[in-house]
Amino acid sequence: MESASELVEFPLLLTPIDSHYRACTIPYRFPSDNPRRPTPTEISWIDLFLNSIPSFKKRAESDTSVPDAANKAEKFAQRYADILEDLKKDPESHGGPPDCILLCRLRELVLRELGFRDIFKKVKDEENAKAISLFENVVRLNDAIEDEGKRLENLVRGIFAGNIFDLGSAQLAEVFSKDGMSFLASCQNLVPRPWVIDDLDTFKMKWSKKRWKKAIIFVDNSGADIILGIMPFARELLRHGSQVVLAANDLPSINDVTCSELVEIITKLKDKEGQLVGVSTSNLLIANSGNDLPVIDLARVSQELAYLASDADLVILEGMGRGIETNLYAQFKCDSLKIGMVKHPEVAHFLGGRLYDCVFKYNEVSC
């Protein structure tokens, strides 16, 4: 399931971790709740995962790498639905009480037990190829913006636009299967500011005055997200003199990019001189996060990432799974940025925002 080597605590979390860190942002229950009865929040989230089963089943059915995929996809749908219904009856079953990490993990367990390793591979490959062909144009459009603050805002809007490519959201999976998505149109059509959490102006001010030595970026989806959203932003950090470490999943989960896929993507993005549209990649590193889910518990990361992160002074968690549903309130020993789009109504309700609202949460730590 997870990375073969032992997982360790992310070294930049505020310590002691036991009292300062809780991975899941939204509490599904409180200590006063009856442990044998599901809470209304648990039921609404279990229903959200139940509603996503048809889109996962459809992807599994078309996985040509798995013999008898159609029957196995049916088994997946039934087994996972049964587990979720069990949790509604008894929240302590299946390793509960449930939270977003457990609900994701149980889904991956059932898929992998049936031989499904990467049901989104075909769509990931297609979207990566499309996004790679657009990369240089997106970068040149950004480079043409002379005002540094405006250029930074454009790069941030690109991250949000790219982050829409999320097939873990049932509604977005439906939209995507019908229409596909235009990256540049998405940049223009973001909900207007101020966003539900909007520290962009503060970050812009710091960007013009501050230089971070090393940034760790926990990346999210394949396609436009990593290639047209994160990579132009990472390139800008490189231009600013920062070392950049991109931390990607060990194993496939939904349409999230894996570490091995990211190595391949960056090889394709480099020009003949080994640069990213004229910017050296000598300070760009790729790390295996040790994670195998679309959410992340930072108390369990790879030793490789822990080693590379030990002297970083900026942590960026990108995407709804890593930066909103988990780790929104995580406290770090250094500056941090949580950036992602709100793609579940339940998350919008919790934050008091709108569906497809944006989160840009910047925390500065005084040295």
Side-chain angles (χ1 to χ4, degrees):
M1 280 293 293
E2 283 169 330
S3 194
S5 59
E6 188 186 342
L7 300 175
V8 297
E9 292 172 349
F10 187 63
L12 297 174
L13 282 171
L14 206 59
T15 52
I17 286 173
D18 288 351
S19 57
H20 281 104
Y21 180 65
R22 184 176 179 273
C24 296
T25 301
I26 302 172
Y28 289 11
R29 64 169 46 241
F30 295 96
S32 57
D33 290 320
N34 184 334
R36 307 296 302 201
R37 277 197 172 166
T39 66
T41 307
E42 283 172 343
I43 288 170
S44 73
W45 277 90
I46 289 167
D47 284 341
L48 184 149
F49 278 80
L50 276 165
N51 291 338
S52 75
I53 290 175
S55 66
F56 277 76
K57 182 188 169 195
K58 192 175 172 185
R59 295 282 174 197
E61 281 170 348
S62 58
D63 187 343
T64 54
S65 70
V66 176
D68 200 19
N71 278 334
K72 286 177 179 171
E74 183 60 50
K75 280 183 186 171
F76 154 73
Q78 193 57 58
R79 275 188 207 172
Y80 188 49
D82 288 347
I83 287 169
L84 294 176
E85 293 298 344
D86 285 349
L87 283 164
K88 278 187 180 181
K89 295 187 198 97
D90 177 8
E92 294 190 317
S93 63
H94 302 285
D99 57 23
C100 65
I101 293 175
L102 181 66
L103 294 174
C104 289
R105 179 158 301 294
L106 289 168
R107 183 173 61 199
E108 293 298 336
L109 272 169
V110 177
L111 282 167
R112 290 168 190 164
E113 280 171 0
L114 288 162
F116 293 108
R117 292 282 171 260
D118 193 0
I119 61 173
F120 290 87
K121 182 165 183 10
K122 184 171 180 283
V123 71
K124 286 192 297 182
D125 289 347
E126 288 167 358
E127 289 308 304
N128 286 340
K130 273 190 225 168
I132 286 167
S133 72
L134 297 171
F135 175 72
E136 186 175 342
N137 186 39
V138 167
V139 164
R140 293 203 185 280
L141 285 171
N142 280 311
D143 285 359
I145 301 169
E146 288 181 21
D147 181 278
E148 195 175 44
K150 286 179 182 169
R151 187 165 67 247
L152 176 64
E153 180 161 350
N154 205 54
L155 287 161
V156 167
R157 286 179 173 276
I159 293 174
F160 288 128
N163 196 228
I164 292 172
F165 177 53
D166 182 353
L167 301 183
S169 160
Q171 283 159 303
L172 282 175
E174 186 69 22
V175 170
F176 185 81
S177 66
K178 284 181 182 167
D179 308 316
M181 286 177 187
S182 160
F183 174 75
L184 292 173
S186 299
C187 283
Q188 300 305 316
N189 296 330
L190 296 178
V191 296
R193 295 182 64 197
W195 300 316
V196 65
I197 300 176
D198 192 338
D199 297 328
L200 179 56
D201 291 340
T202 307
F203 187 71
K204 274 161 83 169
M205 203 166 59
K206 296 297 173 190
W207 180 271
S208 63
K209 298 174 184 171
K210 193 166 185 170
R211 291 291 182 267
W212 291 279
K213 183 180 57 179
K214 185 193 263 191
I216 308 291
I217 307 178
F218 288 87
V219 300
D220 190 16
N221 305 311
S222 299
D225 192 349
I226 181 66
I227 296 162
L228 305 181
I230 287 296
M231 287 310 300
F233 183 77
R235 176 181 173 273
E236 194 74 6
L237 278 167
L238 292 168
R239 283 172 84 181
H240 266 232
S242 301
Q243 188 174 39
V244 177
V245 179
L246 301 173
N249 268 15
D250 179 29
L251 298 176
S253 183
I254 317 185
N255 61 317
D256 289 9
V257 68
T258 64
C259 185
S260 58
E261 287 166 347
L262 188 50
V263 170
E264 196 178 313
I265 286 166
I266 289 172
T267 301
K268 289 177 180 173
L269 292 179
K270 287 179 184 176
D271 57 27
K272 285 171 187 158
E273 285 74 45
Q275 298 185 326
L276 291 173
V277 194
V279 174
S280 169
T281 55
S282 60
N283 276 329
L284 179 66
L285 299 171
I286 302 163
N288 183 330
S289 68
N291 191 41
D292 62 346
L293 298 175
V295 289
I296 190 166
D297 179 355
L298 294 176
R300 297 170 60 74
V301 302
S302 72
Q303 292 175 47
E304 171 197 0
L305 177 59
Y307 173 75
L308 288 170
S310 58
D311 61 343
D313 50 1
L314 178 64
V315 174
I316 301 171
L317 290 139
E318 186 251 345
M320 185 174 67
R322 289 166 190 80
I324 303 176
E325 289 180 341
T326 56
N327 301 303
L328 183 62
Y329 303 127
Q331 295 175 279
F332 296 94
K333 296 171 185 173
C334 64
D335 293 359
S336 64
L337 185 57
K338 289 85 177 246
I339 178 166
M341 183 174 276
V342 176
K343 293 168 282 193
H344 288 154
E346 291 77 4
V347 179
H349 176 73
F350 174 78
L351 294 174
R354 304 153 285 185
L355 192 61
Y356 308 123
D357 214 327
C358 300
V359 166
F360 192 93
K361 189 175 194 292
Y362 174 60
N363 288 95
E364 186 177 26
V365 172
S366 303
C367 296

